[in-house]
Amino acid sequence: MPNGILIIDKPAGWTSMDVCAKIRGILHEKRVGHGGTLDPMATGVLPVFVGQATRAVEFAENSRKEYVAGLRLGQVTDTQDVTGQTLETHPVTASRKDVEAAMARFLGPIQQVPPMYSAVKINGQKLYDLARRGKEVARKPRDITIYELELLEQVSETDYLLRCVCSKGTYIRTLCHDMGQALGCGGTLYSLRRTMAAGYRLDRAVTLENVQEKGESLLLPTDTLFAQYPAYTVPSAGKENRVRNGGAVTDNSLADGTYRVYGRNGDFLCLSRAEHGTLTSIKNFFGA
């Protein structure tokens, strides 16, 4: 059965779940999940986890992500992007320097109010379901972090391309909306391409057509998600057996930290944490 990670270059017009459904059909595997939702209008890096690799989805969802976003000043929409209904238009007098100054205000840890057109739930109801019924409810701001925010290009008097590296839970639509508010003319998102997620960049991405043609040969091993951590191979059959049964092992040569743990035959077994010479599994990746 297929196991591993596909880095899909999501096409515009598809939901993230559409992509997963397509891959289920191509690979004939029910266990398929993605590592971070992209709106239908967005394109770019969508890590898709297949088979046993679905156990790693939570680690991808919590990772930093990078986007190239199109900010359009002078327009406000109900969805905070150009797919929605225009609510306001304003003349734009902001200069490139004004935009750069506004960007600086959004760097670092900030709070962001989730948009009404989002999958966030309040009292068991998704916000976008309420929004489609014409309702708006109060939303609590959430803590996010903008690690990097760079102005790549001024496309026109109203349009700018931005590069943003951000934490889980960041809405780039809302960032554009809030920047427009800060500049006094309103703003909306007119394009969005994710260029990095879970450490995977666009140069590793494949299309759905590629997957249709080449199938599971395009799957990356699950342990590539954890390439930033050092590898540790269990040195004996006894210790490997303990790991495979969920037990901790002792190795006083290990510095404290997180490790990719492998069996003696090279199988990726688990992600583990070493503390004071004791190695304990965080998540196992062996078995059916």
Side-chain angles (χ1 to χ4, degrees), residues 73 92-102 151 154 157 160 183:
L73 297 178
V92 178
T93 59
S95 67
R96 181 183 179 118
K97 287 186 177 180
D98 293 330
V99 173
E100 289 175 329
L151 177 53
Q154 181 175 359
E157 289 186 1
Y160 294 82
L183 289 162

Side-chain angles (χ1 to χ4, degrees), residues 106-110 143-148 164-168 170:
F106 292 91
L107 270 174
I110 62 172
D143 294 325
I144 63 162
T145 302
I146 306 294
Y147 299 102
E148 299 177 42
C164 178
V165 180
C166 56
S167 66
K168 173 188 177 181
T170 302

Side-chain angles (χ1 to χ4, degrees), residues 208-242:
L208 288 170
E209 291 77 14
N210 294 148
V211 181
Q212 186 76 63
E213 179 185 351
K214 299 181 180 179
E216 60 187 273
S217 67
L218 296 176
L219 287 164
L220 300 177
T222 306
D223 59 345
T224 59
L225 180 65
F226 307 112
Q228 69 270 37
Y229 301 119
Y232 174 78
T233 301
V234 289
S236 68
K239 287 188 174 181
E240 180 170 340
N241 188 54
R242 282 199 291 278

Side-chain angles (χ1 to χ4, degrees), residues 232-235 240 243-244 261-270:
Y232 174 78
T233 301
V234 289
E240 180 170 340
V243 170
R244 288 185 179 275
V261 178
Y262 296 86
R264 291 171 304 146
N265 65 352
D267 288 346
F268 177 49
L269 300 180
C270 54

Side-chain angles (χ1 to χ4, degrees), residues 26-288:
I26 295 172
L27 299 183
H28 307 291
E29 170 58 58
K30 292 182 180 179
R31 295 172 297 171
V32 176
H34 64 79
T37 301
L38 278 175
D39 288 341
M41 74 170 281
T43 65
V45 176
L46 180 69
V48 176
F49 295 76
V50 179
Q52 289 175 211
T54 53
R55 298 176 183 178
V57 166
E58 64 189 276
F59 299 95
E61 290 177 332
N62 293 329
S63 66
R64 295 185 183 189
K65 297 172 177 65
E66 180 186 73
Y67 298 88
V68 172
L71 164 66
R72 176 161 296 157
L73 297 178
Q75 182 181 10
V76 177
T77 73
D78 57 356
T79 60
Q80 301 182 347
D81 62 36
V82 293
T83 67
Q85 180 179 349
T86 298
L87 303 176
E88 303 171 20
T89 58
H90 302 277
V92 178
T93 59
S95 67
R96 181 183 179 118
K97 287 186 177 180
D98 293 330
V99 173
E100 289 175 329
M103 287 166 55
R105 296 166 54 179
F106 292 91
L107 270 174
I110 62 172
Q111 288 196 317
Q112 189 181 71
V113 177
M116 277 301 301
Y117 281 88
S118 68
V120 173
K121 287 185 178 181
I122 292 183
N123 297 325
Q125 291 187 290
K126 291 181 178 179
L127 288 178
Y128 61 68
D129 287 333
L130 295 172
R132 287 167 183 164
R133 298 202 299 268
K135 297 181 180 180
E136 183 164 352
V137 296
R139 289 96 69 200
K140 292 182 179 179
R142 303 197 300 183
D143 294 325
I144 63 162
T145 302
I146 306 294
Y147 299 102
E148 299 177 42
L149 191 56
E150 176 188 4
L151 177 53
L152 297 178
E153 181 184 356
Q154 181 175 359
V155 180
S156 69
E157 289 186 1
T158 60
D159 292 359
Y160 294 82
L161 280 181
L162 314 176
R163 184 183 70 88
C164 178
V165 180
C166 56
S167 66
K168 173 188 177 181
T170 302
Y171 286 92
I172 305 298
R173 289 182 282 139
T174 302
L175 176 64
C176 289
H177 172 86
D178 292 348
M179 284 185 60
Q181 295 298 107
L183 289 162
C185 58
T188 194
L189 177 77
Y190 73 83
S191 68
L192 186 64
R193 185 154 176 78
R194 189 154 69 191
T195 51
M196 186 273 290
Y200 300 105
R201 305 198 70 85
L202 266 175
D203 59 4
R204 303 189 78 174
V206 297
T207 65
L208 288 170
E209 291 77 14
N210 294 148
V211 181
Q212 186 76 63
E213 179 185 351
K214 299 181 180 179
E216 60 187 273
S217 67
L218 296 176
L219 287 164
L220 300 177
T222 306
D223 59 345
T224 59
L225 180 65
F226 307 112
Q228 69 270 37
Y229 301 119
Y232 174 78
T233 301
V234 289
S236 68
K239 287 188 174 181
E240 180 170 340
N241 188 54
R242 282 199 291 278
V243 170
R244 288 185 179 275
N245 283 283
V249 297
T250 300
D251 188 332
N252 291 319
S253 70
L254 286 175
D256 287 357
T258 302
Y259 291 83
R260 291 175 284 129
V261 178
Y262 296 86
R264 291 171 304 146
N265 65 352
D267 288 346
F268 177 49
L269 300 180
C270 54
L271 189 69
S272 296
R273 176 75 185 174
E275 290 185 356
H276 309 300
T278 299
L279 191 66
T280 306
S281 174
I282 300 170
K283 191 81 172 184
N284 293 333
F285 294 100
F286 54 83

